[in-house]
Structure formats: structure tokens, C-alpha cells
Amino acid sequence: MPERRTVALVTLGCARNEVDSEELAGRLAADGWELVENAGEADVAVVNTCGFVEAAKKDSVDALLEANDLKDHGKTQAVVAVGCMAERYGKELAEALPEADGVLGFDDYADISNRLQTILSGGSVEAHTPRDRRKLLPLSPVERQKAAAGIALPGHGAVEAPSETPVEAPENVPADLPEGLAPASGPRAPLRRRLDRSPVASVKLASGCDRRCSFCAIPSFRGSFVSRRPSDVLNETRWLAEQGVKEVMLVSENNTSYGKDLGDIRLLESLLPELAAVDGIERVRVSYLQPAEMRPGLIDVLTSTEKVAPYFDLSFQHSAPDVLRAMRRFGDTDRFLELLETIRGKAPLAGARSNFIVGFPGETEADFAELERFVTHARLDAIGVFGYSDEDGTEAATYEHKLDQEVVDERLAHLSRLAEELTAQRAEERIGETLEVLVESIDDEDGVIGRAAHQAPETDGQVVITADSAASLELTPGRMVVAKVVATEGVDLVAECLFEEAGR
């Protein structure tokens, strides 16, 4: 009998990383590793790092050091770094953090089991050597799909074993897909293992990004934009539904670009109704939308398709024209407000959220005031605010006219306070609304907690169901209920259950 090997995956960062961790878990489980939740009870702790901004990188280093401490106090024998920070810095991270027994890049994922076994056995695995992953694929999107078969794309539909459920692609998938990329004739199942029992799961729609925002390093280590095949996205959604998932959230660096390398930039509009029709799925949510790429047809599908959440996670970043141009982005306050007005004209209860960067090089007081004007009038449900910091390898890091850190901090604190006030006001506007709420957790301390269509997991607020109204229903996580908002707690809503959705 082979020796029992245990592994724990610690995931930091965004929902895309969560998908990558579950793919790693699937690969390891398929090769006989036993997955455990507590890193202190595992032979190997694998830390899936985030390398986006300085705060995230610090959290990743702290997590690696914390896992390393377990080697003195727990069962853990080795700590391995994977994920974006490991991919971005590789050998540099290994030299700076000798506590990590291995630093593995995306190219190591396909052979993750052997890499961990070598490390666990006392051997060494050469630290990943970073490279610009944008250079691995052709410049032209339509030429990428064939080339993509030869590079590592975490979360892109690795195949495990046939499923009993046939998978069909949407009827209007482009007929001229590159050879070998037509929908598979037989069913496929994802090489993925769920790491929690949440009724919500993310599905990768694509990887990489073709935008060249001057402040962002992600394309350099995630690569150029590559869409997943519609059949693989459908197949994975069906598999997740079989695992008890009720809501899927489509994630990528830029969902509005989906399909451009498959010959149809409007492919998302045809895919969404197919996903919403998957048996067992109650809600489909789309994240990471670029305002400059929003199309009338996509807005129509997002606001009118049953079981597709009218939810708009719009990456505005700023609204002052000069700052946006310096960011290599497009738009302005009035155009952004017009976009939100168009959305709410079609779906008055639609949710909208965004992130903003303050203190960008050259940002004037007038620019900051313009951003305040936009945020004040946008009526966003959730707002993230970040102070600018230089990122290695980005164009903005070379810019002149950097603001003093004291000014950046002041503007960050000011806009953060304003955002907190405005999102609380937006929540109060929802008092009296009737919502469909997906129950996510039930416990003695917090009671019944769920989310409505305008609330994404982790990043936005939640709905607290009143105890009296929940008592008459035998609720469990994953159930959908109709509830009326009666109060607020900051950005969170307090609601009374009216009834449980029939047939759900």
C-alpha cells in the first residue's frame, strides 16, 4: 500500500486563485494525495499566493511564514509557494524567503504531484524562472487557441474522467473555430476538487488580459487573453451543479472580451442563457466587466435573462479624463454615469460595484474632485478604494509627478470614508425591496446569512434574515428565499422571509 500523503491548500487573493487551487486539489487527489483543511495537519502546505499589490504580497509572505512555523509545531514538513506571486517573482522570492521549500510557477501545475513528492522526500525543485507570459502567444487573438494548447493556463478545463451527462455547446458557437477546438464530441469532466461546501463557486471564463493599463502588471505574469471553450464552461458548470452548487460566478481578468479569440466577441451573450438553464443552477453572475467594452446586447442579456444576476462589476478605476488617459484607459464621469443610467433603465434594481485608485501620478485636486463627483452620483452598491503604489515592471512606475505619500494617504482616507457613507445610503435605498436571497450559512451566532442578486461573495454586502421569519422555514445553505428588506446595517441588509422559492 502506498504511503499516505497529505496536503493542504491555503488560498489568498481573488476568485480566480480559488479556481486554480481547486484544480491543483483535483490533480493531487487524482494522484493519491489526501486533502486536509488544516495546514498544520498536512505533510505539505501549498500556499496559493497573490501578487497584485503590495498589501496582497505582504499577506502572501505572512501566510508562507505562518505555514513555515507549523514545521515546528505541527505535522507539516514542507511549505510550497504557488500562484501569482510565485509566478511573478520566482527565484527572487525563493532567495528572499528561504522558509519556502519550493517556489513553483504555472508551468509546474501539470506535474504538481511529482514536484511536491520530490520536496517532501528531501529533494530540491528548481525555483520558477519568471518570464513575460504575453510573449508565449501570438499577438493576433484569433491565432491563439492552437498555440494555447501548449502552455499552462490554470483553471482551463483539464480533463479527468467522462461524465454521464452529455455536454452540448450553444447553438451559435462560431462554426469556424480553429481545427481541434470544436466542441468535444464526448462529455468531459473538470479535473477539479471542491475545497469547501459553499453553494457558490467560481468558473473561469478566460485567462490573461490584452489591455495595457499603465498601473497593472497582471498581463505580464498571467499572459495574453485566452477564452475557454463554451463547451468546457458549460461542462464545468454542470459538474458543479452535481456537487450542490447553486450559484456560479464567471471570472477572468476581463469577461467583456470573452470570445474574441474564438471568432465571436458576442459569445458571452449566447453562453449566459445556456448556463442559466443548467439543471440545479439558480443564479449565474458575471464579474470583471470593462466599461469601455460594454455592449448593448450584453447589457440586455445581463438585465433580462432569468437566473442571470443583473449585476455589474465595472472596472472604472477613476473618472477624471486626464487620469484615465495616463492609466491607458477610456471614459469620463458623464459617460460612466450614462452607462449606469442605461443599465438601471433596463433593470432598476441592478447591482453595481467598482474599484478606484487614488493618488495616481499627476492626479490633481481637480481630478480628485471629479472622481468624488462620479462616486457621489453613481449610487454604487459596493466600492473598493486603493492608494496608488508603484508596481514592478509597469509603465506608471516610470512616470514623473508622483504624489507625496502623505497626499495619497489623505485622499485614500477621504474617499474611503465617502464610499462607506454612500454605500450605506445605497443600502438604505433598498429598504422595502423584495429580493431573491441565496442562503449561504446558518449558525447560532450569526443566524441565517445570504446574498441577493446585487451582492457578490466576499466583495459586497450580505443579507441577514430575521430569526422570526426564518423560523417557519426549514432553511439550509443553498436554498433560495424571497425576502423583503426591512432595515440595514451599513452595507448589509436585514430582511424578512416571505416564502421559500417553489421548486428550488
Side-chain angles (χ1 to χ4, degrees):
M1 178 178 295
E3 183 180 357
R4 179 175 176 268
R5 304 168 298 177
T6 56
V7 60
L9 287 117
V10 179
T11 306
L12 293 92
C14 65
R16 300 186 295 274
N17 256 16
E18 294 172 5
V19 176
D20 294 351
S21 285
E22 293 198 347
E23 180 187 300
L24 290 173
R27 291 182 181 278
L28 291 167
D31 202 44
W33 289 78
E34 180 181 342
L35 302 171
V36 297
E37 293 185 13
N38 189 336
E41 298 175 358
D43 297 318
V44 183
V46 177
V47 180
N48 192 347
T49 61
C50 178
F52 180 41
V53 293
E54 285 303 317
K57 286 182 277 190
K58 181 181 183 303
D59 288 344
S60 294
V61 170
D62 289 345
L64 287 164
L65 293 174
E66 183 178 339
N68 183 68
D69 289 342
L70 296 173
K71 289 192 285 190
D72 295 328
H73 307 292
K75 179 183 177 181
T76 309
Q77 300 174 51
V79 175
V80 176
V82 299
C84 290
M85 190 175 179
E87 175 66 35
R88 184 176 180 183
Y89 294 104
K91 291 183 176 181
E92 182 182 343
L93 176 62
E95 293 171 359
L97 198 71
E99 291 86 351
D101 299 288
V103 176
L104 307 180
F106 298 150
D107 294 332
D108 293 304
Y109 284 18
D111 199 30
I112 187 69
S113 178
N114 287 334
R115 299 285 194 274
L116 296 191
Q117 184 59 57
T118 297
I119 293 169
L120 187 59
S121 301
S124 62
V125 174
E126 185 176 358
H128 164 68
T129 300
R131 53 181 173 170
D132 188 340
R133 298 189 73 86
R134 291 171 293 190
K135 298 179 180 180
L136 302 181
L137 292 169
L139 185 63
S140 172
V142 296
E143 297 176 1
R144 287 182 194 155
Q145 287 285 332
K146 280 187 178 180
I151 67 171
L153 293 171
H156 272 236
V159 177
E160 183 182 37
S163 166
E164 296 179 359
T165 307
V167 175
E168 298 177 359
E171 293 181 1
N172 54 350
V173 168
D176 58 347
L177 281 179
E179 183 181 353
L181 290 169
S185 57
R188 297 154 59 90
L191 185 55
R192 176 174 177 173
R193 179 66 64 91
R194 299 226 57 208
L195 294 174
D196 61 39
R197 298 179 181 178
S198 170
V200 183
S202 296
V203 174
K204 273 202 177 178
L205 197 60
S207 287
C209 186
D210 288 341
R211 301 183 71 88
R212 293 296 179 263
C213 300
S214 63
F215 56 84
C216 183
I218 290 176
S220 66
F221 57 85
R222 278 289 183 179
S224 299
F225 186 88
V226 180
S227 302
R228 290 183 71 192
R229 302 187 309 177
S231 55
D232 285 345
V233 177
L234 274 164
N235 177 48
E236 186 164 343
T237 299
R238 287 183 168 128
W239 178 82
L240 287 168
E242 292 172 357
Q243 310 303 306
V245 169
K246 298 301 179 182
E247 176 180 324
V248 292
M249 184 167 73
L250 302 180
V251 299
S252 76
E253 279 72 22
N254 178 9
N255 281 332
T256 35
S257 283
Y258 179 69
K260 71 176 185 179
D261 52 329
L262 294 174
D264 186 358
I265 191 61
R266 296 176 178 81
L267 194 53
L268 182 56
E269 285 96 303
S270 60
L271 178 59
L272 283 172
E274 295 282 338
L275 294 171
V278 170
D279 188 31
I281 295 298
E282 300 296 345
R283 182 183 289 157
V284 178
R285 184 183 304 278
V286 184
S287 62
Y288 304 110
L289 300 169
Q290 288 292 339
E293 298 180 31
M294 289 300 294
R295 307 175 291 276
L298 180 56
I299 294 174
D300 287 343
V301 171
L302 288 170
T303 55
S304 65
T305 307
E306 185 179 3
K307 295 188 178 182
V308 173
Y311 175 79
F312 293 82
D313 176 13
L314 295 160
S315 179
F316 290 121
Q317 302 299 346
H318 212 284
S319 72
D322 289 345
V323 176
L324 286 169
R325 302 305 176 269
M327 289 179 168
R328 304 295 183 198
R329 298 178 66 82
F330 309 94
D332 56 49
T333 295
D334 292 334
R335 274 189 277 183
F336 290 163
L337 291 175
E338 287 174 7
L339 173 59
L340 291 169
E341 184 179 354
T342 298
I343 290 168
R344 289 169 178 145
K346 295 177 179 294
L349 304 186
R353 79 169 320 276
S354 192
N355 293 323
F356 300 94
I357 298 173
V358 299
F360 194 79
E363 182 191 62
T364 65
E365 291 185 7
D367 293 329
F368 186 65
E370 184 68 1
L371 176 57
E372 281 190 272
R373 181 170 82 89
F374 172 67
V375 171
T376 300
H377 290 88
R379 296 173 58 232
L380 299 172
D381 293 280
I383 298 172
V385 185
F386 300 89
Y388 173 81
S389 62
D390 286 338
E391 283 297 315
D392 299 331
T394 62
E395 181 183 356
T398 68
Y399 284 177
E400 297 178 352
H401 308 296
K402 300 280 178 61
L403 276 64
D404 291 341
Q405 189 60 48
E406 182 179 344
V407 175
V408 176
D409 292 343
E410 288 176 356
R411 292 181 182 180
L412 173 62
H414 178 81
L415 194 64
S416 296
R417 288 193 299 270
L418 179 61
E420 185 176 351
E421 294 173 4
L422 292 171
T423 52
Q425 290 174 16
R426 178 64 182 132
E428 290 177 357
E429 291 177 16
R430 293 190 178 274
I431 293 177
E433 288 182 8
T434 299
L435 310 172
E436 288 190 344
V437 179
L438 178 66
V439 176
E440 290 195 337
S441 65
I442 302 174
D443 59 47
D444 294 337
E445 182 176 350
D446 297 323
V448 179
I449 303 296
R451 285 180 302 101
H454 70 279
Q455 298 167 318
E458 305 296 336
T459 58
D460 304 342
Q462 60 189 16
V463 178
V464 181
I465 302 296
T466 60
D468 290 344
S469 67
S472 60
L473 302 173
E474 296 181 2
L475 298 179
T476 56
R479 305 302 294 185
M480 191 76 80
V481 298
V482 174
K484 183 177 181 179
V485 182
V486 295
T488 64
E489 297 175 354
V491 296
D492 296 336
L493 306 179
V494 179
E496 293 180 349
C497 273
L498 301 180
F499 55 88
E500 187 174 4
E501 284 282 76
R504 295 192 177 189

